[in-house]
Every structure is written in structure tokens, then in C-alpha cells.
Amino acid sequence: MVTDEQLQEIRDHLEKSLNPLFFYDDDQDGLSAFLLLKRKYQKGRGIPAKPRSGDHEFYLRKIREIDPDLIVFLDRPDVAQEVLDGAKCPVLWIDHHKPVKRLGVKYYNPMVNTPGDNRSTSFWVYQVVQQDLWIALVGCIGDWQIPDFLDKFEHQELFNKKKTPPEILFDSEFGKLIKVFNFILKGSSSESRKNVSVLEKIQSPLEILRQESSKGKFLWKKFEQINKEYEALLKNALDHVEEGRMFIFTYPTGKNSFSSGLSNELLHRLNKDVFIIARENEHDEMVTSIRGKTVDVLPMLEKVLKTINGHGGGHVRACGAVIAKEEFPKFVVEMQKEFAKLKLN
Ligand SMILES: [Mn+2]
């Protein structure tokens, strides 16, 4: 777990800082963690960070541009040592992925003290701020976790009596809200910046879900635009027939990447053991989401990455990788081999 002393240390840093810079993972958990801190402390800049090759240059450029007095990484599985070396101010890193060793950073990861405790970034940030419970719930359930404060939520009706994370995510009104958080980060960076700044001012989820305010209406419209694109892709994927126990689906470069959310929804809707969902990006790479329904996929991925030009990581049953396009067929074959080995044991 992240201890009370550590939570207090995070508060102290944020209270002291005048100009914090937040790099948050561009999914519901990362965005929720950022919103919780921004709304509590009312200062700083937030920048969504996507997995990309050469991301240390991106970080360093932003750090130079913004010149913060505190840097906070949220929900990012990896930050290169050279980024930490390049920072001229304190750096906090709150995460819940597989722990890594780095110097020159205050690292808050529940898995360091308690292996197996991978409660999400927004869960811990909620412990820091102790407000905006609905935003914390978006982050936690978006990460397929039911936090212990779920019962305190005042709009239980939004769960439509659903209990498990996938049911809430894909078959409830609250699940729609989680998709809103995810989809408003799509599109151009100026669009997503605008969307996030509107979301910073929303007071209740009903403003969005029932369009009870003009800000909520604005976000709902943005969501519907992206959702149209997503639903078309989902239908394509559901129509795709795969013989074996592994489901592999690739889609071309488009405006938006949906691999992570799409792989989660397919995992819920289809009876397969392993899911590999990949999108070709503009740098001849396949950005890949890997999900295991019945088996742990991270050990498979780690083994395969030793022989393949690519990098990746994540959680035991939900991870991701970026693979050179020409290596992707070999990547799939190697994953199939690892899966076959598992089934033999
Ligand atoms: Mn997370």
C-alpha cells in the first residue's frame, strides 16, 4: 500500500508548489488522478502522456517549455532515467504498475510495499485529496477495480444494479461516464485540452450524463462524436471471426486509437482466452493492447519481447506493447507459441 506518511508527503509537495506540471496517462485512471489533484490544489498544468517511442524527448521538451517547480507523473508505467536526470525540481511519481527502480524521484507505488496491491492511481490520489468521489470512481472502475468507497457514492442508480467492473463498464450509465472520460482525450491535443478544462469545472456526473448544464452538454456532444467512430470499430471487431482461443484484431491508422478500451470490451463480450488488439500508427509501429481472460499475459509478453523489436509492459492480465510493424506477424506467432506452452502445463 501507499502509507499515510507517503500520502502526507504528496500533500506537502503539492501545497508548497506554485507551478506543478502533471504528466498523466491518457486513460480514465490517469485523467481522473490529474483532475482530483487539479481540483483540490487549483494550480498547475496537466499534459496527457501517450505511450510513444522517444517519449523521453517529449517529456524533456515540455519540462523546458513550462519550467515547473514540481513534476508529477500519474499512472505512467515507465519513466526513463534520463527524464528524471533532466528535471531541475522535485519529481513525484504515483503509479500502480509493476515497480521499477529509478533514482532522483519520489516513487509512490503500492506494489513496492505490498506485492499484489495494484489499487489504481486514482484510488491513492483520492486518499490524498479526499474529495470528488465520483471522479475517483471513474478512475478505479475504469481500471476494473471496485474501491471500498463505492457505497458512499450518492448516485447508486447510475450503476443500474450492476456489480462487477465489466458489467458497470459496458452495461450501465456509469460505464458511459467512464467512456466519456476516455473519449474526450481523443482528437487533436488542442481539442482534448479544451475538453479537459471543461471537465475540470463539472460538479456532478449528471451534468454530463443527463446534460443538465451547458458544460455537460458540450462534453456529451464531444463524446457522441467519438463514440460513433468507436461503435463502428467495435462492430467490425465483433464480426471478425477467429478460429483459435486467441483473438487477434488489427486496424489501420486513423484519427483515434481505441485499442485499450476496445480490448476491454471484447474481453467482456467474447469467449476467448487471449486478446491482441493492435493499431498501426504513423511511425510504422503497431500499438498493441493485450488482455488475458483465463491466463496471465504479461509473462508471455515479457518473454516474447526479448526476441522482438518492441517494448511494453503493464499488468499481469492487461498490458500493452509497441511493436515494429514488420515484426508484428512474428510477434503474433511467438505469442501463440507462449500460449500453447501454457496450455500444455
Ligand atoms: Mn491505472
mmCIF file with all atom_site columns, all heavy atoms in Angstrom, residues 125-150:
data_model
loop_
_atom_site.group_PDB
_atom_site.id
_atom_site.type_symbol
_atom_site.label_atom_id
_atom_site.label_alt_id
_atom_site.label_comp_id
_atom_site.label_asym_id
_atom_site.label_entity_id
_atom_site.label_seq_id
_atom_site.pdbx_PDB_ins_code
_atom_site.Cartn_x
_atom_site.Cartn_y
_atom_site.Cartn_z
_atom_site.occupancy
_atom_site.B_iso_or_equiv
_atom_site.pdbx_formal_charge
_atom_site.auth_seq_id
_atom_site.auth_comp_id
_atom_site.auth_asym_id
_atom_site.auth_atom_id
_atom_site.pdbx_PDB_model_num
ATOM 1   N N   . VAL A 1 125 ? -4.720  8.749  -5.172  1.00 0.00 ? 125 VAL A N   1
ATOM 2   C CA  . VAL A 1 125 ? -4.844  10.198 -5.233  1.00 0.00 ? 125 VAL A CA  1
ATOM 3   C C   . VAL A 1 125 ? -6.115  10.642 -4.494  1.00 0.00 ? 125 VAL A C   1
ATOM 4   O O   . VAL A 1 125 ? -6.145  11.695 -3.861  1.00 0.00 ? 125 VAL A O   1
ATOM 5   C CB  . VAL A 1 125 ? -4.813  10.676 -6.701  1.00 0.00 ? 125 VAL A CB  1
ATOM 6   C CG1 . VAL A 1 125 ? -5.152  12.148 -6.804  1.00 0.00 ? 125 VAL A CG1 1
ATOM 7   C CG2 . VAL A 1 125 ? -3.434  10.417 -7.296  1.00 0.00 ? 125 VAL A CG2 1
ATOM 8   N N   . TYR A 1 126 ? -7.156  9.816  -4.544  1.00 0.00 ? 126 TYR A N   1
ATOM 9   C CA  . TYR A 1 126 ? -8.360  10.128 -3.763  1.00 0.00 ? 126 TYR A CA  1
ATOM 10  C C   . TYR A 1 126 ? -8.036  10.136 -2.265  1.00 0.00 ? 126 TYR A C   1
ATOM 11  O O   . TYR A 1 126 ? -8.563  10.959 -1.508  1.00 0.00 ? 126 TYR A O   1
ATOM 12  C CB  . TYR A 1 126 ? -9.474  9.126  -4.083  1.00 0.00 ? 126 TYR A CB  1
ATOM 13  C CG  . TYR A 1 126 ? -10.734 9.368  -3.271  1.00 0.00 ? 126 TYR A CG  1
ATOM 14  C CD1 . TYR A 1 126 ? -11.489 10.519 -3.458  1.00 0.00 ? 126 TYR A CD1 1
ATOM 15  C CD2 . TYR A 1 126 ? -11.166 8.444  -2.314  1.00 0.00 ? 126 TYR A CD2 1
ATOM 16  C CE1 . TYR A 1 126 ? -12.635 10.761 -2.706  1.00 0.00 ? 126 TYR A CE1 1
ATOM 17  C CE2 . TYR A 1 126 ? -12.304 8.676  -1.550  1.00 0.00 ? 126 TYR A CE2 1
ATOM 18  C CZ  . TYR A 1 126 ? -13.037 9.842  -1.757  1.00 0.00 ? 126 TYR A CZ  1
ATOM 19  O OH  . TYR A 1 126 ? -14.153 10.073 -0.997  1.00 0.00 ? 126 TYR A OH  1
ATOM 20  N N   . GLN A 1 127 ? -7.157  9.241  -1.825  1.00 0.00 ? 127 GLN A N   1
ATOM 21  C CA  . GLN A 1 127 ? -6.751  9.255  -0.411  1.00 0.00 ? 127 GLN A CA  1
ATOM 22  C C   . GLN A 1 127 ? -6.017  10.569 -0.084  1.00 0.00 ? 127 GLN A C   1
ATOM 23  O O   . GLN A 1 127 ? -6.103  11.073 1.023   1.00 0.00 ? 127 GLN A O   1
ATOM 24  C CB  . GLN A 1 127 ? -5.826  8.071  -0.069  1.00 0.00 ? 127 GLN A CB  1
ATOM 25  C CG  . GLN A 1 127 ? -6.313  6.692  -0.521  1.00 0.00 ? 127 GLN A CG  1
ATOM 26  C CD  . GLN A 1 127 ? -7.663  6.318  0.047   1.00 0.00 ? 127 GLN A CD  1
ATOM 27  O OE1 . GLN A 1 127 ? -7.915  6.489  1.239   1.00 0.00 ? 127 GLN A OE1 1
ATOM 28  N NE2 . GLN A 1 127 ? -8.550  5.816  -0.809  1.00 0.00 ? 127 GLN A NE2 1
ATOM 29  N N   . VAL A 1 128 ? -5.316  11.099 -1.086  1.00 0.00 ? 128 VAL A N   1
ATOM 30  C CA  . VAL A 1 128 ? -4.605  12.373 -0.879  1.00 0.00 ? 128 VAL A CA  1
ATOM 31  C C   . VAL A 1 128 ? -5.606  13.529 -0.735  1.00 0.00 ? 128 VAL A C   1
ATOM 32  O O   . VAL A 1 128 ? -5.531  14.315 0.196   1.00 0.00 ? 128 VAL A O   1
ATOM 33  C CB  . VAL A 1 128 ? -3.637  12.663 -2.056  1.00 0.00 ? 128 VAL A CB  1
ATOM 34  C CG1 . VAL A 1 128 ? -3.096  14.090 -1.990  1.00 0.00 ? 128 VAL A CG1 1
ATOM 35  C CG2 . VAL A 1 128 ? -2.485  11.664 -2.060  1.00 0.00 ? 128 VAL A CG2 1
ATOM 36  N N   . VAL A 1 129 ? -6.575  13.606 -1.648  1.00 0.00 ? 129 VAL A N   1
ATOM 37  C CA  . VAL A 1 129 ? -7.428  14.807 -1.708  1.00 0.00 ? 129 VAL A CA  1
ATOM 38  C C   . VAL A 1 129 ? -8.726  14.664 -0.919  1.00 0.00 ? 129 VAL A C   1
ATOM 39  O O   . VAL A 1 129 ? -9.295  15.657 -0.465  1.00 0.00 ? 129 VAL A O   1
ATOM 40  C CB  . VAL A 1 129 ? -7.766  15.204 -3.165  1.00 0.00 ? 129 VAL A CB  1
ATOM 41  C CG1 . VAL A 1 129 ? -6.496  15.478 -3.951  1.00 0.00 ? 129 VAL A CG1 1
ATOM 42  C CG2 . VAL A 1 129 ? -8.612  14.144 -3.866  1.00 0.00 ? 129 VAL A CG2 1
ATOM 43  N N   . GLN A 1 130 ? -9.239  13.442 -0.809  1.00 0.00 ? 130 GLN A N   1
ATOM 44  C CA  . GLN A 1 130 ? -10.487 13.167 -0.077  1.00 0.00 ? 130 GLN A CA  1
ATOM 45  C C   . GLN A 1 130 ? -11.647 14.059 -0.511  1.00 0.00 ? 130 GLN A C   1
ATOM 46  O O   . GLN A 1 130 ? -12.402 14.564 0.325   1.00 0.00 ? 130 GLN A O   1
ATOM 47  C CB  . GLN A 1 130 ? -10.231 13.261 1.432   1.00 0.00 ? 130 GLN A CB  1
ATOM 48  C CG  . GLN A 1 130 ? -9.262  12.168 1.858   1.00 0.00 ? 130 GLN A CG  1
ATOM 49  C CD  . GLN A 1 130 ? -8.773  12.310 3.281   1.00 0.00 ? 130 GLN A CD  1
ATOM 50  O OE1 . GLN A 1 130 ? -9.189  13.196 4.014   1.00 0.00 ? 130 GLN A OE1 1
ATOM 51  N NE2 . GLN A 1 130 ? -7.896  11.411 3.698   1.00 0.00 ? 130 GLN A NE2 1
ATOM 52  N N   . GLN A 1 131 ? -11.769 14.250 -1.795  1.00 0.00 ? 131 GLN A N   1
ATOM 53  C CA  . GLN A 1 131 ? -12.955 14.930 -2.346  1.00 0.00 ? 131 GLN A CA  1
ATOM 54  C C   . GLN A 1 131 ? -13.180 14.460 -3.784  1.00 0.00 ? 131 GLN A C   1
ATOM 55  O O   . GLN A 1 131 ? -12.323 13.793 -4.357  1.00 0.00 ? 131 GLN A O   1
ATOM 56  C CB  . GLN A 1 131 ? -12.775 16.445 -2.295  1.00 0.00 ? 131 GLN A CB  1
ATOM 57  C CG  . GLN A 1 131 ? -11.631 16.965 -3.160  1.00 0.00 ? 131 GLN A CG  1
ATOM 58  C CD  . GLN A 1 131 ? -11.511 18.488 -3.143  1.00 0.00 ? 131 GLN A CD  1
ATOM 59  O OE1 . GLN A 1 131 ? -11.674 19.107 -2.103  1.00 0.00 ? 131 GLN A OE1 1
ATOM 60  N NE2 . GLN A 1 131 ? -11.238 19.079 -4.295  1.00 0.00 ? 131 GLN A NE2 1
ATOM 61  N N   . ASP A 1 132 ? -14.341 14.798 -4.339  1.00 0.00 ? 132 ASP A N   1
ATOM 62  C CA  . ASP A 1 132 ? -14.696 14.389 -5.713  1.00 0.00 ? 132 ASP A CA  1
ATOM 63  C C   . ASP A 1 132 ? -14.682 12.866 -5.880  1.00 0.00 ? 132 ASP A C   1
ATOM 64  O O   . ASP A 1 132 ? -14.032 12.319 -6.782  1.00 0.00 ? 132 ASP A O   1
ATOM 65  C CB  . ASP A 1 132 ? -13.753 15.034 -6.738  1.00 0.00 ? 132 ASP A CB  1
ATOM 66  C CG  . ASP A 1 132 ? -13.921 16.537 -6.822  1.00 0.00 ? 132 ASP A CG  1
ATOM 67  O OD1 . ASP A 1 132 ? -15.067 17.012 -6.679  1.00 0.00 ? 132 ASP A OD1 1
ATOM 68  O OD2 . ASP A 1 132 ? -12.917 17.241 -7.024  1.00 0.00 ? 132 ASP A OD2 1
ATOM 69  N N   . LEU A 1 133 ? -15.461 12.229 -5.027  1.00 0.00 ? 133 LEU A N   1
ATOM 70  C CA  . LEU A 1 133 ? -15.535 10.763 -5.038  1.00 0.00 ? 133 LEU A CA  1
ATOM 71  C C   . LEU A 1 133 ? -15.927 10.199 -6.407  1.00 0.00 ? 133 LEU A C   1
ATOM 72  O O   . LEU A 1 133 ? -15.405 9.175  -6.843  1.00 0.00 ? 133 LEU A O   1
ATOM 73  C CB  . LEU A 1 133 ? -16.535 10.328 -3.959  1.00 0.00 ? 133 LEU A CB  1
ATOM 74  C CG  . LEU A 1 133 ? -16.738 8.836  -3.784  1.00 0.00 ? 133 LEU A CG  1
ATOM 75  C CD1 . LEU A 1 133 ? -16.618 8.477  -2.316  1.00 0.00 ? 133 LEU A CD1 1
ATOM 76  C CD2 . LEU A 1 133 ? -18.100 8.397  -4.290  1.00 0.00 ? 133 LEU A CD2 1
ATOM 77  N N   . TRP A 1 134 ? -16.838 10.880 -7.111  1.00 0.00 ? 134 TRP A N   1
ATOM 78  C CA  . TRP A 1 134 ? -17.301 10.341 -8.400  1.00 0.00 ? 134 TRP A CA  1
ATOM 79  C C   . TRP A 1 134 ? -16.169 10.254 -9.408  1.00 0.00 ? 134 TRP A C   1
ATOM 80  O O   . TRP A 1 134 ? -16.114 9.327  -10.215 1.00 0.00 ? 134 TRP A O   1
ATOM 81  C CB  . TRP A 1 134 ? -18.471 11.167 -8.944  1.00 0.00 ? 134 TRP A CB  1
ATOM 82  C CG  . TRP A 1 134 ? -18.169 12.597 -9.320  1.00 0.00 ? 134 TRP A CG  1
ATOM 83  C CD1 . TRP A 1 134 ? -18.054 13.668 -8.479  1.00 0.00 ? 134 TRP A CD1 1
ATOM 84  C CD2 . TRP A 1 134 ? -17.956 13.119 -10.640 1.00 0.00 ? 134 TRP A CD2 1
ATOM 85  N NE1 . TRP A 1 134 ? -17.782 14.814 -9.185  1.00 0.00 ? 134 TRP A NE1 1
ATOM 86  C CE2 . TRP A 1 134 ? -17.724 14.521 -10.518 1.00 0.00 ? 134 TRP A CE2 1
ATOM 87  C CE3 . TRP A 1 134 ? -17.956 12.558 -11.917 1.00 0.00 ? 134 TRP A CE3 1
ATOM 88  C CZ2 . TRP A 1 134 ? -17.484 15.351 -11.623 1.00 0.00 ? 134 TRP A CZ2 1
ATOM 89  C CZ3 . TRP A 1 134 ? -17.712 13.380 -13.011 1.00 0.00 ? 134 TRP A CZ3 1
ATOM 90  C CH2 . TRP A 1 134 ? -17.480 14.760 -12.868 1.00 0.00 ? 134 TRP A CH2 1
ATOM 91  N N   . ILE A 1 135 ? -15.232 11.212 -9.334  1.00 0.00 ? 135 ILE A N   1
ATOM 92  C CA  . ILE A 1 135 ? -14.103 11.178 -10.276 1.00 0.00 ? 135 ILE A CA  1
ATOM 93  C C   . ILE A 1 135 ? -13.175 10.010 -9.932  1.00 0.00 ? 135 ILE A C   1
ATOM 94  O O   . ILE A 1 135 ? -12.701 9.285  -10.811 1.00 0.00 ? 135 ILE A O   1
ATOM 95  C CB  . ILE A 1 135 ? -13.348 12.516 -10.248 1.00 0.00 ? 135 ILE A CB  1
ATOM 96  C CG1 . ILE A 1 135 ? -14.273 13.615 -10.789 1.00 0.00 ? 135 ILE A CG1 1
ATOM 97  C CG2 . ILE A 1 135 ? -12.054 12.443 -11.059 1.00 0.00 ? 135 ILE A CG2 1
ATOM 98  C CD1 . ILE A 1 135 ? -13.673 14.998 -10.760 1.00 0.00 ? 135 ILE A CD1 1
ATOM 99  N N   . ALA A 1 136 ? -12.959 9.805  -8.629  1.00 0.00 ? 136 ALA A N   1
ATOM 100 C CA  . ALA A 1 136 ? -12.141 8.661  -8.211  1.00 0.00 ? 136 ALA A CA  1
ATOM 101 C C   . ALA A 1 136 ? -12.769 7.351  -8.679  1.00 0.00 ? 136 ALA A C   1
ATOM 102 O O   . ALA A 1 136 ? -12.074 6.435  -9.142  1.00 0.00 ? 136 ALA A O   1
ATOM 103 C CB  . ALA A 1 136 ? -11.969 8.664  -6.695  1.00 0.00 ? 136 ALA A CB  1
ATOM 104 N N   . LEU A 1 137 ? -14.104 7.270  -8.608  1.00 0.00 ? 137 LEU A N   1
ATOM 105 C CA  . LEU A 1 137 ? -14.786 6.041  -9.045  1.00 0.00 ? 137 LEU A CA  1
ATOM 106 C C   . LEU A 1 137 ? -14.587 5.800  -10.541 1.00 0.00 ? 137 LEU A C   1
ATOM 107 O O   . LEU A 1 137 ? -14.413 4.656  -10.965 1.00 0.00 ? 137 LEU A O   1
ATOM 108 C CB  . LEU A 1 137 ? -16.288 6.137  -8.747  1.00 0.00 ? 137 LEU A CB  1
ATOM 109 C CG  . LEU A 1 137 ? -16.722 5.861  -7.309  1.00 0.00 ? 137 LEU A CG  1
ATOM 110 C CD1 . LEU A 1 137 ? -18.234 6.025  -7.185  1.00 0.00 ? 137 LEU A CD1 1
ATOM 111 C CD2 . LEU A 1 137 ? -16.309 4.465  -6.869  1.00 0.00 ? 137 LEU A CD2 1
ATOM 112 N N   . VAL A 1 138 ? -14.614 6.862  -11.331 1.00 0.00 ? 138 VAL A N   1
ATOM 113 C CA  . VAL A 1 138 ? -14.379 6.702  -12.775 1.00 0.00 ? 138 VAL A CA  1
ATOM 114 C C   . VAL A 1 138 ? -13.011 6.060  -13.001 1.00 0.00 ? 138 VAL A C   1
ATOM 115 O O   . VAL A 1 138 ? -12.865 5.106  -13.768 1.00 0.00 ? 138 VAL A O   1
ATOM 116 C CB  . VAL A 1 138 ? -14.457 8.068  -13.507 1.00 0.00 ? 138 VAL A CB  1
ATOM 117 C CG1 . VAL A 1 138 ? -13.921 7.950  -14.926 1.00 0.00 ? 138 VAL A CG1 1
ATOM 118 C CG2 . VAL A 1 138 ? -15.888 8.581  -13.525 1.00 0.00 ? 138 VAL A CG2 1
ATOM 119 N N   . GLY A 1 139 ? -12.001 6.578  -12.290 1.00 0.00 ? 139 GLY A N   1
ATOM 120 C CA  . GLY A 1 139 ? -10.648 6.056  -12.478 1.00 0.00 ? 139 GLY A CA  1
ATOM 121 C C   . GLY A 1 139 ? -10.514 4.611  -12.030 1.00 0.00 ? 139 GLY A C   1
ATOM 122 O O   . GLY A 1 139 ? -9.930  3.781  -12.730 1.00 0.00 ? 139 GLY A O   1
ATOM 123 N N   . CYS A 1 140 ? -11.052 4.298  -10.867 1.00 0.00 ? 140 CYS A N   1
ATOM 124 C CA  . CYS A 1 140 ? -10.893 2.938  -10.319 1.00 0.00 ? 140 CYS A CA  1
ATOM 125 C C   . CYS A 1 140 ? -11.653 1.912  -11.154 1.00 0.00 ? 140 CYS A C   1
ATOM 126 O O   . CYS A 1 140 ? -11.097 0.883  -11.552 1.00 0.00 ? 140 CYS A O   1
ATOM 127 C CB  . CYS A 1 140 ? -11.405 2.881  -8.875  1.00 0.00 ? 140 CYS A CB  1
ATOM 128 S SG  . CYS A 1 140 ? -10.440 3.896  -7.732  1.00 0.00 ? 140 CYS A SG  1
ATOM 129 N N   . ILE A 1 141 ? -12.928 2.195  -11.431 1.00 0.00 ? 141 ILE A N   1
ATOM 130 C CA  . ILE A 1 141 ? -13.727 1.203  -12.180 1.00 0.00 ? 141 ILE A CA  1
ATOM 131 C C   . ILE A 1 141 ? -13.203 1.108  -13.610 1.00 0.00 ? 141 ILE A C   1
ATOM 132 O O   . ILE A 1 141 ? -13.188 0.033  -14.203 1.00 0.00 ? 141 ILE A O   1
ATOM 133 C CB  . ILE A 1 141 ? -15.227 1.541  -12.122 1.00 0.00 ? 141 ILE A CB  1
ATOM 134 C CG1 . ILE A 1 141 ? -15.700 1.580  -10.661 1.00 0.00 ? 141 ILE A CG1 1
ATOM 135 C CG2 . ILE A 1 141 ? -16.044 0.482  -12.884 1.00 0.00 ? 141 ILE A CG2 1
ATOM 136 C CD1 . ILE A 1 141 ? -17.129 2.066  -10.465 1.00 0.00 ? 141 ILE A CD1 1
ATOM 137 N N   . GLY A 1 142 ? -12.725 2.245  -14.145 1.00 0.00 ? 142 GLY A N   1
ATOM 138 C CA  . GLY A 1 142 ? -12.093 2.214  -15.468 1.00 0.00 ? 142 GLY A CA  1
ATOM 139 C C   . GLY A 1 142 ? -10.906 1.258  -15.504 1.00 0.00 ? 142 GLY A C   1
ATOM 140 O O   . GLY A 1 142 ? -10.567 0.703  -16.533 1.00 0.00 ? 142 GLY A O   1
ATOM 141 N N   . ASP A 1 143 ? -10.266 1.059  -14.362 1.00 0.00 ? 143 ASP A N   1
ATOM 142 C CA  . ASP A 1 143 ? -9.162  0.102  -14.224 1.00 0.00 ? 143 ASP A CA  1
ATOM 143 C C   . ASP A 1 143 ? -9.657  -1.272 -13.746 1.00 0.00 ? 143 ASP A C   1
ATOM 144 O O   . ASP A 1 143 ? -8.873  -2.080 -13.263 1.00 0.00 ? 143 ASP A O   1
ATOM 145 C CB  . ASP A 1 143 ? -8.129  0.626  -13.213 1.00 0.00 ? 143 ASP A CB  1
ATOM 146 C CG  . ASP A 1 143 ? -6.944  1.285  -13.912 1.00 0.00 ? 143 ASP A CG  1
ATOM 147 O OD1 . ASP A 1 143 ? -6.959  1.410  -15.144 1.00 0.00 ? 143 ASP A OD1 1
ATOM 148 O OD2 . ASP A 1 143 ? -5.981  1.671  -13.209 1.00 0.00 ? 143 ASP A OD2 1
ATOM 149 N N   . TRP A 1 144 ? -10.952 -1.514 -13.834 1.00 0.00 ? 144 TRP A N   1
ATOM 150 C CA  . TRP A 1 144 ? -11.565 -2.795 -13.451 1.00 0.00 ? 144 TRP A CA  1
ATOM 151 C C   . TRP A 1 144 ? -11.421 -3.092 -11.955 1.00 0.00 ? 144 TRP A C   1
ATOM 152 O O   . TRP A 1 144 ? -11.155 -4.218 -11.538 1.00 0.00 ? 144 TRP A O   1
ATOM 153 C CB  . TRP A 1 144 ? -10.994 -3.976 -14.266 1.00 0.00 ? 144 TRP A CB  1
ATOM 154 C CG  . TRP A 1 144 ? -11.357 -3.919 -15.719 1.00 0.00 ? 144 TRP A CG  1
ATOM 155 C CD1 . TRP A 1 144 ? -11.158 -2.877 -16.568 1.00 0.00 ? 144 TRP A CD1 1
ATOM 156 C CD2 . TRP A 1 144 ? -12.017 -4.931 -16.504 1.00 0.00 ? 144 TRP A CD2 1
ATOM 157 N NE1 . TRP A 1 144 ? -11.643 -3.169 -17.818 1.00 0.00 ? 144 TRP A NE1 1
ATOM 158 C CE2 . TRP A 1 144 ? -12.157 -4.424 -17.821 1.00 0.00 ? 144 TRP A CE2 1
ATOM 159 C CE3 . TRP A 1 144 ? -12.481 -6.219 -16.230 1.00 0.00 ? 144 TRP A CE3 1
ATOM 160 C CZ2 . TRP A 1 144 ? -12.748 -5.150 -18.849 1.00 0.00 ? 144 TRP A CZ2 1
ATOM 161 C CZ3 . TRP A 1 144 ? -13.057 -6.951 -17.268 1.00 0.00 ? 144 TRP A CZ3 1
ATOM 162 C CH2 . TRP A 1 144 ? -13.183 -6.421 -18.558 1.00 0.00 ? 144 TRP A CH2 1
ATOM 163 N N   . GLN A 1 145 ? -11.567 -2.052 -11.131 1.00 0.00 ? 145 GLN A N   1
ATOM 164 C CA  . GLN A 1 145 ? -11.483 -2.259 -9.686  1.00 0.00 ? 145 GLN A CA  1
ATOM 165 C C   . GLN A 1 145 ? -12.693 -1.631 -9.014  1.00 0.00 ? 145 GLN A C   1
ATOM 166 O O   . GLN A 1 145 ? -13.144 -0.564 -9.410  1.00 0.00 ? 145 GLN A O   1
ATOM 167 C CB  . GLN A 1 145 ? -10.211 -1.608 -9.135  1.00 0.00 ? 145 GLN A CB  1
ATOM 168 C CG  . GLN A 1 145 ? -8.944  -2.203 -9.730  1.00 0.00 ? 145 GLN A CG  1
ATOM 169 C CD  . GLN A 1 145 ? -7.694  -1.511 -9.218  1.00 0.00 ? 145 GLN A CD  1
ATOM 170 O OE1 . GLN A 1 145 ? -7.766  -0.597 -8.403  1.00 0.00 ? 145 GLN A OE1 1
ATOM 171 N NE2 . GLN A 1 145 ? -6.547  -1.957 -9.707  1.00 0.00 ? 145 GLN A NE2 1
ATOM 172 N N   . ILE A 1 146 ? -13.203 -2.303 -7.980  1.00 0.00 ? 146 ILE A N   1
ATOM 173 C CA  . ILE A 1 146 ? -14.286 -1.745 -7.177  1.00 0.00 ? 146 ILE A CA  1
ATOM 174 C C   . ILE A 1 146 ? -13.672 -1.266 -5.870  1.00 0.00 ? 146 ILE A C   1
ATOM 175 O O   . ILE A 1 146 ? -13.256 -2.076 -5.042  1.00 0.00 ? 146 ILE A O   1
ATOM 176 C CB  . ILE A 1 146 ? -15.357 -2.826 -6.884  1.00 0.00 ? 146 ILE A CB  1
ATOM 177 C CG1 . ILE A 1 146 ? -15.959 -3.384 -8.184  1.00 0.00 ? 146 ILE A CG1 1
ATOM 178 C CG2 . ILE A 1 146 ? -16.442 -2.260 -5.972  1.00 0.00 ? 146 ILE A CG2 1
ATOM 179 C CD1 . ILE A 1 146 ? -16.821 -2.416 -8.956  1.00 0.00 ? 146 ILE A CD1 1
ATOM 180 N N   . PRO A 1 147 ? -13.557 0.051  -5.667  1.00 0.00 ? 147 PRO A N   1
ATOM 181 C CA  . PRO A 1 147 ? -12.912 0.537  -4.441  1.00 0.00 ? 147 PRO A CA  1
ATOM 182 C C   . PRO A 1 147 ? -13.845 0.442  -3.232  1.00 0.00 ? 147 PRO A C   1
ATOM 183 O O   . PRO A 1 147 ? -15.064 0.361  -3.396  1.00 0.00 ? 147 PRO A O   1
ATOM 184 C CB  . PRO A 1 147 ? -12.613 2.002  -4.772  1.00 0.00 ? 147 PRO A CB  1
ATOM 185 C CG  . PRO A 1 147 ? -13.667 2.387  -5.745  1.00 0.00 ? 147 PRO A CG  1
ATOM 186 C CD  . PRO A 1 147 ? -14.005 1.154  -6.534  1.00 0.00 ? 147 PRO A CD  1
ATOM 187 N N   . ASP A 1 148 ? -13.254 0.498  -2.036  1.00 0.00 ? 148 ASP A N   1
ATOM 188 C CA  . ASP A 1 148 ? -14.066 0.317  -0.822  1.00 0.00 ? 148 ASP A CA  1
ATOM 189 C C   . ASP A 1 148 ? -14.989 1.506  -0.546  1.00 0.00 ? 148 ASP A C   1
ATOM 190 O O   . ASP A 1 148 ? -15.866 1.415  0.297   1.00 0.00 ? 148 ASP A O   1
ATOM 191 C CB  . ASP A 1 148 ? -13.158 0.028  0.393   1.00 0.00 ? 148 ASP A CB  1
ATOM 192 C CG  . ASP A 1 148 ? -12.074 1.088  0.569   1.00 0.00 ? 148 ASP A CG  1
ATOM 193 O OD1 . ASP A 1 148 ? -12.129 2.127  -0.124  1.00 0.00 ? 148 ASP A OD1 1
ATOM 194 O OD2 . ASP A 1 148 ? -11.169 0.880  1.399   1.00 0.00 ? 148 ASP A OD2 1
ATOM 195 N N   . PHE A 1 149 ? -14.809 2.614  -1.284  1.00 0.00 ? 149 PHE A N   1
ATOM 196 C CA  . PHE A 1 149 ? -15.686 3.769  -1.050  1.00 0.00 ? 149 PHE A CA  1
ATOM 197 C C   . PHE A 1 149 ? -16.865 3.840  -2.026  1.00 0.00 ? 149 PHE A C   1
ATOM 198 O O   . PHE A 1 149 ? -17.571 4.830  -2.072  1.00 0.00 ? 149 PHE A O   1
ATOM 199 C CB  . PHE A 1 149 ? -14.890 5.083  -1.055  1.00 0.00 ? 149 PHE A CB  1
ATOM 200 C CG  . PHE A 1 149 ? -13.926 5.246  -2.214  1.00 0.00 ? 149 PHE A CG  1
ATOM 201 C CD1 . PHE A 1 149 ? -14.389 5.600  -3.473  1.00 0.00 ? 149 PHE A CD1 1
ATOM 202 C CD2 . PHE A 1 149 ? -12.554 5.058  -2.029  1.00 0.00 ? 149 PHE A CD2 1
ATOM 203 C CE1 . PHE A 1 149 ? -13.508 5.768  -4.534  1.00 0.00 ? 149 PHE A CE1 1
ATOM 204 C CE2 . PHE A 1 149 ? -11.662 5.213  -3.091  1.00 0.00 ? 149 PHE A CE2 1
ATOM 205 C CZ  . PHE A 1 149 ? -12.146 5.573  -4.342  1.00 0.00 ? 149 PHE A CZ  1
ATOM 206 N N   . LEU A 1 150 ? -17.078 2.766  -2.791  1.00 0.00 ? 150 LEU A N   1
ATOM 207 C CA  . LEU A 1 150 ? -18.165 2.758  -3.780  1.00 0.00 ? 150 LEU A CA  1
ATOM 208 C C   . LEU A 1 150 ? -19.530 3.081  -3.159  1.00 0.00 ? 150 LEU A C   1
ATOM 209 O O   . LEU A 1 150 ? -20.332 3.820  -3.723  1.00 0.00 ? 150 LEU A O   1
ATOM 210 C CB  . LEU A 1 150 ? -18.223 1.388  -4.468  1.00 0.00 ? 150 LEU A CB  1
ATOM 211 C CG  . LEU A 1 150 ? -19.279 1.243  -5.571  1.00 0.00 ? 150 LEU A CG  1
ATOM 212 C CD1 . LEU A 1 150 ? -18.669 1.483  -6.943  1.00 0.00 ? 150 LEU A CD1 1
ATOM 213 C CD2 . LEU A 1 150 ? -19.919 -0.136 -5.541  1.00 0.00 ? 150 LEU A CD2 1
#
